[in-house]
Amino acid sequence: DIQMTQTPSSMPASLGERVTISCRASQGISNYLNWYQQKPDGTIKPLIYYTSNLQSGVPSRFSGSGSGTDYSLTISSLEPEDFAMYYCQQYDGSPYTFGTGTKLELK
Amino acid sequence: QVQLKESGPGLVQPSQTLSLTCTVSGLSLTSNSVSWIRQPPGKGLEWMGVIWNNGGTDYNSAIKSRLSISRDTSKSQVFLKMNSLQTEDTAMYFCVTLKLGSYFDYWGQGVMVTVSS
């Protein structure tokens, strides 16, 4: 199975701050990488697919990049609704696997 | 609009079988694939398996021997059955559409299942 490791596991940040979350795969995944947001009430929504494509309705302050084994999610200016858990997910190999998660917290 | 809603027992005894139903509205199961994903309390997400739009299935090898996913297209429902439950199967179970075999786009709210005697 392809292991997905996210860093940091938690990140205190302030409103308006620019933050970057990293995701590393145990082997190259050819940009087959998605990002999801999980709110404190448990609801999950997709943010980015195929490394850098924004899901419809997702604000443009979210962006994704990366290649090979290393990927990142950047939020350019934090809004109150962005404080949540974030997960990456690969679909290069079966089973689909998710990252270890990053909790974005208000500083 | 697209909605997925999971239902099933909140409590299952160890060694018993879990049966969950996902009722889908706003899209056709013959055109869309549906996965089950679970999340133990305070932990990350685990993909369990998928029923493809053509009715074929694929499972996570870690639980393949215990898991079955099926559907009733006339009722727009997807079913999960998993046997030999243990306490480590305690989790929130989500049904989710899988778009183009690549990303999970529509998520249900999830159903919490506790395995305990």
Side-chain angles (χ1 to χ4, degrees):
Chain A
D1 297 3
I2 299 173
Q3 309 301 316
M4 306 297 292
T5 303
Q6 288 180 232
T7 53
S9 56
S10 66
M11 177 185 286
S14 303
L15 290 172
E17 188 174 340
R18 177 186 178 91
V19 298
T20 296
I21 296 169
S22 297
C23 175
R24 174 166 287 177
S26 59
Q27 63 190 68
I29 55 171
S30 304
N31 290 97
Y32 296 133
L33 190 284
N34 305 318
W35 290 94
Y36 302 87
Q37 178 192 65
Q38 184 172 32
K39 289 291 186 74
D41 68 357
T43 57
I44 299 175
K45 74 170 191 177
L47 296 175
I48 288 173
Y49 61 96
Y50 193 52
T51 296
S52 59
N53 295 275
L54 224 56
Q55 173 77 357
S56 175
V58 174
S60 59
R61 63 181 180 273
F62 289 89
S63 63
S65 64
S67 64
T69 60
D70 295 313
Y71 299 84
S72 62
L73 171 71
T74 297
I75 310 172
S76 61
S77 179
L78 282 170
E79 298 284 337
E81 60 268 27
D82 300 337
F83 293 94
M85 284 290 292
Y86 292 86
Y87 293 96
C88 59
Q89 172 247 323
Q90 67 79 24
Y91 59 102
D92 187 50
S94 185
Y96 301 100
T97 48
F98 290 85
T100 47
T102 296
K103 186 173 185 178
L104 195 49
E105 301 172 298
L106 185 59
K107 189 184 290 183
Chain B
Q1 87 252 31
V2 177
Q3 287 191 320
L4 296 90
K5 185 167 177 61
E6 306 88 346
S7 59
L11 181 65
V12 179
Q13 295 201 334
S15 79
Q16 296 301 301
T17 297
L18 172 65
S19 295
L20 297 177
T21 299
C22 173
T23 302
V24 181
S25 59
L27 53 80
S28 166
L29 292 181
T30 56
S31 302
N32 293 271
S33 305
V34 174
S35 269
W36 288 94
I37 291 171
R38 66 179 178 176
Q39 184 175 38
K43 296 191 177 180
L45 298 161
E46 178 186 31
W47 176 76
M48 301 179 72
V50 59
I51 185 160
W52 301 103
N53 59 312
N54 64 6
T57 53
D58 279 306
Y59 301 116
N60 188 327
S61 55
I63 52 175
K64 183 176 183 177
S65 63
R66 300 195 289 136
L67 182 63
S68 174
I69 299 175
S70 60
R71 70 183 185 181
D72 183 335
T73 55
S74 67
K75 294 183 178 179
S76 206
Q77 291 180 322
V78 176
F79 309 104
L80 175 149
K81 285 192 189 312
M82 188 162 70
N83 59 31
S84 304
L85 253 60
Q86 301 302 320
T87 53
E88 51 266 33
D89 295 311
T90 293
M92 184 74 80
Y93 286 75
F94 297 94
C95 67
V96 193
T97 55
L98 176 59
K99 187 163 184 176
L100 300 174
S102 62
Y103 78 96
F104 302 104
D105 52 352
Y106 295 103
W107 293 68
Q109 64 189 22
V111 60
M112 184 66 202
V113 175
T114 301
V115 181
S116 174
S117 55

